[in-house]
């Protein structure tokens, strides 16, 4: 009897083990299936993410971007800059909108034009020369906050250091001349013309415009390097040629030993050399000017002006479009400062064929 129960128990155990085997197999199969499914899902998600990124990049590359140019004032410098902008935009397939040219320099004239042009919409980036280091911060920041990228050209906001955190560090870049260095170079070349001795006077324009302030500072520092030279004064004509002529006339009458004048832009230089001409001092008072307009080139050829620093406005404009598109299309990091060089016109090289490209044109 006992042997019988042992046999029955063994049979029950065997049957139980037999039925348990498929269950274990099911669990193993289930785990394998789950792992495979997870791997497939992860791969699908990775592929989808990569495809989405590729689609976004392709879409950005295919989009036609629109840039708005807001010049500082209606003069040959900015007309020449626009030519550089338009040429590079045509090459790269960028749409350019050009705001009305302000008839006078300053935020009072520029800000309404800026805001009206931007309000038309469909603007990806603004290229502009802020006519005040402070007064243009708020209007441009407002547009930046609406998703429009900003590049400042020729002039900058604040102290121009966009690499540090500040209320004016939002522009992508400042693209323009190293104005302080230019002022120093003008001082050096004017000193050479004057035999490194004598009194000089500076006709500046606006005390709240970064470019001309830096030119004046550079000139002052440059003249200080010559022990026998003295900077006797610096006045501000507010970009008014008639006022520049009046101020220069008064300075020449006040100090008859002035032997050199630096005009920091077109209007200050033209007003200054006209004062010298009217006083009968052409040749006796050396004139150094900034900006190679056709009028100043003609004055150089006539002997009324002795030295002209030529900026490269067309190159500035071209660089704005080039870097702007790299940022918009590829999210390329733009250098906080991009500095083109400059050239000097003198009586000796004014007719050289290779120098003609640096004359500003409308």
């Amino acid at each position: 009897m006992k042997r019988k129960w042992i046999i029955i128990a063994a049979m029950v155990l065997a049957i139980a083990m037999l039925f348990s085997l498929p269950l274990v197999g099911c669990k193993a199969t289930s785990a394998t299936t789950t792992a495979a499914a997870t791997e497939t899902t992860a791969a699908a998600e990775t592929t989808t993410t990569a495809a989405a990124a590729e689609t976004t990049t392709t879409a950005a590359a295919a989009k036609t971007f629109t840039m708005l140019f807001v010049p500082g004032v209606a003069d040959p410098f900015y007309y020449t800059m626009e030519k550089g902008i338009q040429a590079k935009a045509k090459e790269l397939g960028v749409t350019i909108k050009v705001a009305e040219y302000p008839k006078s320099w300053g935020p009072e004239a520029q800000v309404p034009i800026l805001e009206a042009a931007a309000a038309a919409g469909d603007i990806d980036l603004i290229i502009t020369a802020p006519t005040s280091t402070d007064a243009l911060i708020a209007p441009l920041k407002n547009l930046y906050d609406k998703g429009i990228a900003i590049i400042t050209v020729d002039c900058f906001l604040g102290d121009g250091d966009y690499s540090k955190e500040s209320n004016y560090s939002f522009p992508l870049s400042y693209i323009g001349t190293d104005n302080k260095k230019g002022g120093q170079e003008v001082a050096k070349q004017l000193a050479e013309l004057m035999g490194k001795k004598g009194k000089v006077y500076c006709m500046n324009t606006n005390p709240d415009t970064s470019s001309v302030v830096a030119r004046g500072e550079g000139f002052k520092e440059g003249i200080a390097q010559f022990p026998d030279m003295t900077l006797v004064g610096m006045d501000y004509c507010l970009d008014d040629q008639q006022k520049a002529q009046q101020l220069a006339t008064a300075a020449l009458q006040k100090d008859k030993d002035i032997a050199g004048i630096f005009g920091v832009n077109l209007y200050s230089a033209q007003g200054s050399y006209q004062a010298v001409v009217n006083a009968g001092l052409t040749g006796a008072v050396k004139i150094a000017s900034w900006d190679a307009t056709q009028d100043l080139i003609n004055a150089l050829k006539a002997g009324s002006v002795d030295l002209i620093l030529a900026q490269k406005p067309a190159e500035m404009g071209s660089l704005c479009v080039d870097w702007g598109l790299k940022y918009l299309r590829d999210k390329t990091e733009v250098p906080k400062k991009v500095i083109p060089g400059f050239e000097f016109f003198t009586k000796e090289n004014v007719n050289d064929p290779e120098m003609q490209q640096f004359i500003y044109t409308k």
Side-chain angles (χ1 to χ4, degrees):
M1 184 71 175
K2 183 177 181 180
R3 178 180 176 82
K4 179 181 179 181
W5 282 112
I6 290 174
I7 293 171
I8 293 172
M11 291 176 65
V12 170
L13 178 61
I15 292 169
M17 290 179 65
L18 182 63
F19 278 98
S20 69
L21 287 175
L23 294 175
V24 173
C26 285
K27 289 181 180 178
T29 303
S30 176
T32 303
T33 303
T34 302
T38 301
E39 184 177 347
T40 301
T41 302
E45 289 176 351
T46 302
T47 303
T48 302
T49 302
E54 185 177 351
T55 300
T56 300
T57 303
T58 303
K63 177 181 176 181
T64 299
F65 292 98
T66 300
M67 300 182 189
L68 171 65
F69 174 46
V70 184
V73 71
D75 74 5
F77 175 82
Y78 289 109
Y79 292 133
T80 304
M81 183 181 290
E82 184 190 338
K83 288 183 177 181
I85 289 173
Q86 297 284 14
K88 181 57 71 171
K90 183 177 180 180
E91 174 189 333
L92 298 179
V94 174
T95 299
I96 296 296
K97 295 182 178 181
V98 180
E100 175 188 349
Y101 276 72
K103 294 179 175 59
S104 60
W105 182 271
E108 298 82 4
Q110 188 184 39
V111 172
I113 292 173
L114 167 69
E115 293 178 338
D122 192 27
I123 304 295
D124 297 298
L125 182 144
I126 293 174
I127 300 167
T128 188
T131 55
S132 170
T133 53
D134 297 321
L136 265 293
I137 293 175
L140 287 173
K141 181 61 163 59
N142 181 50
L143 295 170
Y144 169 80
D145 289 341
K146 293 178 180 178
I148 302 175
I150 309 291
I151 290 179
T152 59
V153 62
D154 182 44
C155 305
F156 50 69
L157 299 174
D159 64 1
D161 186 356
Y162 299 155
S163 65
K164 65 183 181 184
E165 188 65 30
S166 69
N167 67 328
Y168 54 79
S169 62
F170 56 89
L172 293 174
S173 182
Y174 160 70
I175 298 179
T177 302
D178 184 337
N179 288 287
K180 191 169 187 178
K181 180 180 179 181
Q184 293 168 341
E185 287 297 317
V186 168
K188 180 179 177 180
Q189 297 221 20
L190 183 59
E192 293 291 339
L193 290 172
M194 295 173 59
K196 300 181 182 179
K197 61 182 180 181
K199 295 180 179 181
V200 295
Y201 167 76
C202 181
M203 178 59 66
N204 212 315
T205 58
N206 302 78
D208 65 342
T209 299
S210 65
S211 56
V212 294
V213 168
R215 294 168 199 172
E217 290 174 349
F219 183 71
K220 182 178 180 180
E221 291 178 8
I223 291 298
Q225 300 303 309
F226 299 92
D228 296 327
M229 297 189 71
T230 304
L231 175 61
V232 298
M234 182 182 301
D235 287 321
Y236 296 87
C237 68
L238 304 180
D239 236 31
D240 184 319
Q241 182 173 326
Q242 186 63 34
K243 186 170 183 177
Q245 182 177 331
Q246 293 170 353
L247 290 169
T249 298
L252 290 167
Q253 291 173 346
K254 180 180 178 180
D255 192 334
K256 299 186 182 301
D257 291 329
I258 291 175
I261 297 177
F262 170 39
V264 303
N265 78 344
L266 164 65
Y267 303 110
S268 58
Q270 289 186 163
S272 295
Y273 89 68
Q274 193 58 56
V276 170
V277 170
N278 291 346
L281 296 172
T282 300
V285 177
K286 302 299 182 184
I287 300 290
S289 67
W290 191 289
D291 285 329
T293 65
Q294 190 61 61
D295 285 343
L296 285 175
I297 292 295
N298 291 341
L300 176 61
K301 291 178 178 180
S304 301
V305 169
D306 301 277
L307 177 71
I308 301 172
L309 183 148
Q311 298 186 86
K312 298 181 177 179
E315 183 179 347
M316 293 180 200
S318 177
L319 286 167
C320 286
V321 175
D322 193 21
W323 279 111
L325 181 60
K326 288 177 181 177
Y327 170 77
L328 294 171
R329 184 185 60 198
D330 308 321
K331 296 305 176 187
T332 300
E333 184 176 353
V334 182
K336 294 302 180 182
K337 287 186 178 181
V338 179
I339 310 296
F342 47 77
E343 306 288 336
F344 278 102
F345 279 94
T346 64
K347 294 175 183 177
E348 289 71 32
N349 71 4
V350 67
N351 292 312
D352 289 354
E354 63 269 21
M355 290 297 293
Q356 305 313 300
Q357 63 182 305
F358 304 118
I359 299 175
Y360 308 168
T361 56
K362 183 171 180 179

